[in-house]
């Protein structure tokens, strides 16, 4: 199951569902946070597209603007600060150092 959950196809489907959620309710901070998270993962693990990078940052900013006290928003924000790194392996090295 973990392989399926980490596949590009699964993440793209998740992004589509979160996009639909925020279209239906633009004030849904948790969905904006999740959209940021899934786009961050797409960026890191599936090609480093400038589009996914931009989408992750926009979603993070929207979530933060809607509800700055929500824990999920701060998770998205933390992941957003890691986006400029060359690879998620750098995060692992920094954490394990």
């Amino acid at each position: 199951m973990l392989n399926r959950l980490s596949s590009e196809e699964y993440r793209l489907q998740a992004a589509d569902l979160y996009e639909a959620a925020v279209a239906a309710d633009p004030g849904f901070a948790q969905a904006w946070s999740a959209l940021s998270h899934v786009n961050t993962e797409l960026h890191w693990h599936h090609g480093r597209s400038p589009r996914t990078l931009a989408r992750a940052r926009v979603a993070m900013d929207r979530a933060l603007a809607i509800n700055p006290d929500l824990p999920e928003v701060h998770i998205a924000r933390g992941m957003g600060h890691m986006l400029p790194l060359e690879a998620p392996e750098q995060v692992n090295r920094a954490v394990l150092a």
Side-chain angles (χ1 to χ4, degrees):
M1 179 153 166
L2 286 177
N3 287 338
R4 183 181 71 80
L5 294 178
S6 63
S7 73
E8 183 176 17
E9 178 184 356
Y10 175 82
R11 288 178 172 135
L12 289 169
Q13 289 174 342
D16 289 343
L17 292 171
Y18 291 127
E19 289 279 357
V22 298
D25 181 0
F28 190 2
Q30 291 95 335
W32 283 110
S33 296
L35 182 58
S36 178
H37 184 123
V38 76
N39 276 295
T40 299
E41 289 187 346
L42 283 165
H43 180 75
W44 275 350
H45 301 294
H46 304 290
R48 304 214 180 281
S49 163
R51 181 174 182 246
T52 57
L53 176 64
R55 292 177 118 191
R57 289 188 170 148
V58 166
M60 177 199 52
D61 290 342
R62 290 292 303 268
L64 188 61
I66 294 165
N67 189 344
D69 297 325
L70 191 69
E72 292 93 331
V73 171
H74 291 281
I75 292 169
R77 188 173 180 215
M79 291 182 72
H81 287 301
M82 293 187 293
L83 281 173
L85 296 175
E86 289 298 316
E89 292 79 28
Q90 288 179 322
V91 174
N92 290 335
R93 282 196 304 269
V95 169
L96 298 174

